Amino acid sequence: MKNNRRNFLKKIGVTGVAAAVTPMVFAESTPSKMILTRNHFDLNEKPLSLALIGAGIMGVQDMQTALMHPNVKVVAVCDLYQGRLEDAKNRWGEDLFLTKEYTEILKRNDIDAVLIATPDHWHKQISIDALNSGKHVYCEKPMVHSVEEGEDVIKEWKKSGKVMMVGSQGVSSLGNEKAKELLAAGAIGDIVYAEGFWARHSPEGAWQYNIPKDGNKQTVDWEKFISNTNKKPWDPLRFFRWRNYLDYGTGMSGDLFVHLFSSLHFITDSYGPDKISAMGGLRYWEDGREVPDVLLGIFNYPKSEKHPGFNLSLRCNFVDGTSGTTYLRIVGTKGSMDVKWEEVVVKLNGGAALEEDPFLKEQALLRGETDTRAKILPPRETVYAAEKKYKGAHYDHFGNFFHAIRTDGEVAEDPVFGFRAAAPALLCNDSYFQNKFINWDPVNMKIV
């Protein structure tokens, strides 16, 4: 681990290290706060034309965020529900090319990149077809619907020479970047454990999405929707609340654990766990869904050149009265970090609490330590928070994507990284439904 820190020091220089570590070493023993800032890329570059494939909740959010960047426009939208196509025209203009067939978008020469925000079971095929048609690709997480699909996407991406970004936006956040910097600098020592938690308690948060009054077989291309999976009769619940069904979605782990995996892997430079287990149940939302609403995952991360071995526990709960709680905590030999996309809270071991502990005082006296001279103690807590004008991780993720397209550069979350985050999330489902531990090779990305 010392070599990792030495390389880190060389990369960021003495000034960067001082900024990262000094507040925790020399400040008085009161909580301190540091402001995180973002230096943006030069955005006055060539225009980019985008198409959206899948114009549901996340697709609209993706496109709205993408359009916050200058020199970016939307020219086409694809969705299987006519109502979303009409909504897209109202949002982004009468001149949009609208279609229910994504291959029509891929034939167009006036599109630089596609944003794929379809249900998970279409991610692989549309990504591959888009890359083969010469388009850059932004694909929502998880990148694939099953681990068997990962190798195909990676192979076609490498062959295409195009930029592909996977949409776990936290990877580009100020919070994750600061946590990565702090961990590399040894701020909390060597990692020994991590945990993440995602809680919701609302119908929408638990995927009981609104079903439009005109959402029927006349306005929805149901046959296209199910053409690459099991054939079922028309069911508006399966179409509009697709996350609840295994043919189309990937459950709590594929939707939410994958964000936590992405952040953890980015911060630690990890390739992923080698042992995966899960349990949970359907405790509240008994609405016909096929996936649990409470899920617990336990993962073993083996020692690597980048980090020591550690364990990870993840929890997801759709029956939680706190509603909206989420965090990733990384615990080291010297302290811990609570990591959010816009904030990092560092808590160090020791400090005033230990100095005031009567048991420790008694033990010191027994050892003959009578020096009661006051000491300069580090703060027990340091907060790193994004500046108020920060536009957010989602905005930065697209900024990274567009910059890579314009400069033929690299993105923060390419398909290899995206698959290494998706695979343990998908295998968490397999562990739950098969009631067994699953062994995974995170380096070669294979089930053992």
Side-chain angles (χ1 to χ4, degrees):
M1 303 335 309
K2 291 182 179 178
N3 289 336
N4 289 347
R5 292 190 194 120
R6 190 177 298 116
N7 293 335
F8 170 78
L9 300 184
K10 289 178 181 178
K11 289 179 181 178
I12 69 172
V14 175
T15 303
V17 175
V21 180
T22 297
M24 292 179 290
V25 176
F26 300 110
E28 295 180 0
S29 56
T30 56
S32 59
K33 187 170 185 177
M34 306 295 291
I35 302 300
L36 304 177
T37 60
R38 164 72 71 218
N39 295 320
H40 287 288
F41 302 117
D42 180 8
L43 297 174
N44 296 316
E45 302 183 51
K46 72 172 186 177
L48 295 175
S49 296
L50 308 180
L52 175 61
I53 302 176
I57 296 171
M58 200 64 227
V60 170
Q61 289 183 13
D62 279 344
M63 185 57 77
Q64 294 284 61
T65 304
L67 294 175
M68 291 170 63
H69 290 268
N71 299 322
V72 173
K73 65 177 181 179
V74 53
V75 300
V77 174
C78 172
D79 199 274
L80 298 181
Y81 166 48
Q82 185 63 35
R84 291 184 187 140
L85 297 178
E86 294 299 323
D87 179 68
K89 183 169 62 176
N90 294 333
R91 285 178 185 275
W92 299 311
E94 294 283 340
D95 295 334
L96 281 181
F97 174 74
L98 304 175
T99 180
K100 290 184 179 180
E101 178 51 68
Y102 76 86
T103 56
E104 293 183 1
I105 281 180
L106 303 184
K107 293 175 184 176
R108 294 178 64 98
N109 295 322
D110 60 343
I111 293 171
D112 298 299
V114 297
L115 312 185
I116 301 172
T118 65
D120 303 342
H121 70 304
W122 276 104
H123 286 185
K124 171 199 168 183
Q125 192 59 54
I126 298 178
S127 293
I128 289 175
D129 290 345
L131 291 168
N132 289 339
S133 72
K135 305 291 189 285
H136 302 288
V137 171
Y138 181 103
C139 181
E140 267 301 328
K141 53 73 197 167
M143 185 183 82
V144 290
H145 188 240
S146 69
V147 291
E148 291 76 19
E149 297 176 345
E151 184 178 352
D152 291 340
V153 175
I154 292 170
K155 181 177 70 175
E156 295 303 320
W157 163 62
K158 290 181 176 179
K159 186 172 70 176
S160 73
K162 294 299 176 179
V163 175
M164 181 170 174
M165 170 78 99
V166 180
S168 286
Q169 302 84 6
V171 171
S172 296
S173 69
L174 277 174
N176 276 3
E177 289 174 8
K178 190 62 181 179
K180 183 183 184 75
E181 178 185 308
L182 290 166
L183 183 66
I188 64 167
D190 289 334
I191 182 173
V192 295
Y193 172 70
E195 62 180 346
F197 182 44
W198 209 298
R200 294 175 173 176
H201 194 175
S202 70
E204 293 78 12
W207 308 330
Q208 284 193 335
Y209 302 137
N210 175 59
I211 298 177
K213 292 181 179 179
D214 68 342
N216 53 53
K217 205 170 181 181
Q218 286 67 51
T219 60
V220 172
D221 190 342
W222 173 251
E223 296 306 319
K224 179 68 175 181
F225 182 75
I226 62 171
S227 63
N228 66 347
T229 186
N230 297 314
K231 302 301 181 283
K232 302 277 186 181
W234 161 247
D235 186 343
L237 293 178
R238 285 181 166 266
F239 183 82
F240 290 104
R241 298 179 180 175
W242 57 270
R243 290 192 188 278
N244 291 320
Y245 304 95
L246 294 172
D247 282 348
Y248 330 114
T250 49
M252 304 173 95
S253 56
D255 186 37
L256 299 173
F257 280 5
V258 70
H259 278 303
L260 300 169
F261 282 119
S262 298
S263 292
L264 180 67
H265 293 180
F266 175 81
I267 294 165
T268 62
D269 284 327
S270 179
Y271 285 167
D274 64 356
K275 184 175 289 187
I276 295 157
S277 64
M279 65 176 57
L282 187 58
R283 312 301 184 191
Y284 185 83
W285 299 101
E286 297 183 6
D287 52 4
R289 68 182 61 202
E290 299 171 348
V291 293
D293 56 16
V294 173
L295 188 65
L296 310 174
I298 303 293
F299 311 87
N300 184 74
Y301 279 70
K303 180 181 179 181
S304 74
E305 293 182 359
K306 299 292 187 178
H307 59 74
F310 66 94
N311 294 95
L312 168 70
S313 67
L314 297 180
R315 297 173 289 151
C316 196
N317 184 2
F318 283 177
V319 201
D320 195 293
T322 62
S323 185
T325 305
T326 179
Y327 70 79
L328 173 65
R329 176 172 296 143
I330 299 174
V331 181
T333 52
K334 297 180 181 178
S336 67
M337 291 189 292
D338 288 351
V339 184
K340 299 180 182 178
W341 292 359
E342 299 183 358
E343 180 184 83
V344 181
V345 179
V346 177
K347 299 177 182 178
L348 295 179
N349 299 335
L354 291 182
E355 292 296 320
E356 296 169 2
D357 189 309
F359 174 78
L360 294 180
K361 284 185 176 181
E362 182 66 26
Q363 293 301 305
L365 289 174
L366 292 174
R367 291 194 301 269
E369 298 173 9
T370 58
D371 183 10
T372 58
R373 181 170 178 254
K375 299 178 178 66
I376 296 177
L377 301 173
R380 286 186 293 160
E381 184 173 304
T382 301
V383 178
Y384 296 85
E387 57 187 342
K388 290 184 179 180
K389 65 179 181 179
Y390 178 48
K391 294 182 179 180
H394 205 167
Y395 178 87
D396 285 349
H397 212 49
F398 274 107
N400 181 208
F401 178 55
F402 297 145
H403 184 71
I405 292 173
R406 288 165 170 149
T407 63
D408 193 26
E410 297 180 353
V411 293
E413 189 174 11
D414 65 25
V416 173
F417 184 104
F419 182 51
R420 284 191 168 126
L426 299 175
L427 293 174
C428 192
N429 278 335
D430 291 345
S431 173
Y432 171 78
F433 285 107
Q434 297 173 23
N435 192 29
K436 68 178 185 180
F437 282 90
I438 294 180
N439 295 313
W440 171 250
D441 180 346
V443 177
N444 297 305
M445 297 176 281
K446 303 279 188 183
I447 293 177
V448 178

